[in-house]
Amino acid sequence: MDIQIRRVQETDSERIRQLFKEVMIYGASSPGKLALNHQLYVQPAYVLYGIFSLGVLISYYSIAPGSLICVASLAFFLAWRQRIWREIKKYDDAAMNGGDLADIGSHYGPVPSAFWVAEVQDSGGAGTVIGCVGLDSSTNPDPSVVEIRRMLVSPSYQQRGVGSSLLRAAIDHARTQKMQRIFLSTSMFQPAARKLYENFGFFEEGKLDVGVKFCSISFDIDFYVYGMQL
Ligand SMILES: CC(C)(COP(=O)(O)OP(=O)(O)OC[C@H]1O[C@@H](n2cnc3c(N)ncnc32)[C@H](O)[C@@H]1OP(=O)(O)O)[C@@H](O)C(=O)NCCC(=O)NCCS
């Protein structure tokens, strides 16, 4: 497999946005979908399954109250699920609407920021972007600190060293630019990313619990900040 790591070009922008949506939010193995699926296994979901089952049982004896309990518990579950999904999609909106992926060239243009893509060549020499990573100096007031962002590899090309090659390019660039610290954030739904960063010597520096509230239920997602001195 012939994969080249190169700097981003203006013509890559649409493909990168598409990749972000697929890899982070909407794809079957994306952190977005994993977060949504996690809802099925948290304690309040089991309580709702119990209430629904009780409704089914009651409906054997008395159809109206039993059905009402079933419908109410299902409607509550779906509304809660919708609330979580809306929150996940905000991440997409934030990146696309005025965020760094809206205009990749200008956001990652000023040095020491930079953006790379991984491109695979077919036998005819045509290239397809299958991964990317950005180094962003705008997210921290300290000019010697940069953030790794948008580390993405298309699922069909994962676990072949593409993510490592992209990360190496970003770290090498940060060192060349005399940066002193590099950091990033990731979540409990990104085990591959955490493994990748730990392989490169990043340490977990902090953990942040973000709760998505719905009525009295809090759906908690753990975020981790990883960092490394250069
Ligand atoms: C994280 C990601 C970029 C890694 O890309 P990749 O091309 O698969 O990475 P590599 O092939 O270089 O593998 C790097 C390490 O991660 C590990 N890894 C990759 N996929 C894994 C998985 N599904 N589960 C556990 N570890 C995994 C590899 O085993 C490898 O470690 P090893 O060399 O010790 O075996 C990719 O999985 C991805 O795009 N994930 C979804 C988006 C995401 O979470 N991005 C990170 C944003 S912070």
Side-chain angles (χ1 to χ4, degrees):
M1 196 175 51
D2 183 12
I3 292 179
Q4 186 200 351
I5 307 294
R6 62 164 174 81
R7 287 293 188 93
V8 73
Q9 294 164 5
E10 195 54 49
T11 47
D12 299 321
S13 298
E14 204 40 56
R15 171 62 185 145
I16 292 165
R17 288 191 276 270
Q18 186 191 28
L19 202 60
F20 171 80
K21 283 175 185 283
E22 178 201 349
V23 180
M24 289 302 290
I25 315 283
Y26 301 99
S29 61
S30 66
K33 280 291 167 68
L34 293 180
L36 187 66
N37 289 343
H38 183 62
Q39 181 223 14
L40 302 173
Y41 306 102
V42 295
Q43 207 184 12
Y46 286 105
V47 173
L48 287 168
Y49 303 152
I51 296 172
F52 183 87
S53 307
L54 191 68
V56 172
L57 196 68
I58 292 171
S59 66
Y60 280 119
Y61 303 98
S62 178
I63 188 87
S67 308
L68 190 67
I69 291 171
C70 287
V71 170
S73 56
L74 185 63
F76 187 89
F77 179 84
L78 293 176
W80 174 33
R81 193 166 181 78
Q82 196 59 34
R83 165 82 184 90
I84 294 168
W85 185 234
R86 269 205 312 276
E87 204 59 33
I88 293 167
K89 278 177 42 182
K90 274 189 195 167
Y91 185 61
D92 179 13
D93 295 341
M96 301 297 159
N97 303 323
D100 61 317
L101 296 187
D103 186 347
I104 299 168
S106 27
H107 189 93
Y108 290 92
V111 184
S113 294
F115 203 96
W116 294 262
V117 295
E119 187 178 59
V120 64
Q121 310 280 335
D122 68 17
S123 49
T128 305
V129 168
I130 50 103
C132 63
V133 68
L135 200 60
D136 194 343
S137 65
S138 72
T139 56
N140 193 290
D142 184 336
S144 67
V145 175
V146 272
E147 181 178 2
I148 297 274
R149 299 182 75 190
R150 314 311 180 195
M151 165 61 76
L152 312 165
V153 174
S154 174
S156 40
Y157 289 91
Q158 287 177 7
Q159 293 191 275
R160 300 191 203 184
V162 180
S164 299
S165 301
L166 284 162
L167 186 57
R168 199 168 297 116
I171 294 171
D172 287 351
H173 176 81
R175 287 205 170 105
T176 310
Q177 294 297 320
K178 309 258 185 292
M179 294 294 104
Q180 285 172 11
R181 185 171 169 265
I182 191 163
F183 77 101
L184 61 100
S185 57
T186 187
S187 77
M188 63 194 274
F189 301 111
Q190 293 160 280
R194 294 174 64 193
K195 178 82 169 49
L196 169 67
Y197 299 129
E198 283 163 10
N199 282 353
F200 275 76
F202 283 83
F203 284 101
E204 188 187 315
E205 292 180 339
K207 187 175 151 208
L208 181 73
D209 283 347
V210 176
V212 180
K213 298 261 187 283
F214 180 74
C215 297
S216 55
I217 302 175
S218 177
F219 178 77
D220 295 327
I221 300 179
D222 297 341
F223 285 87
Y224 304 91
V225 175
Y226 277 79
M228 183 167 72
Q229 292 302 124
L230 293 171

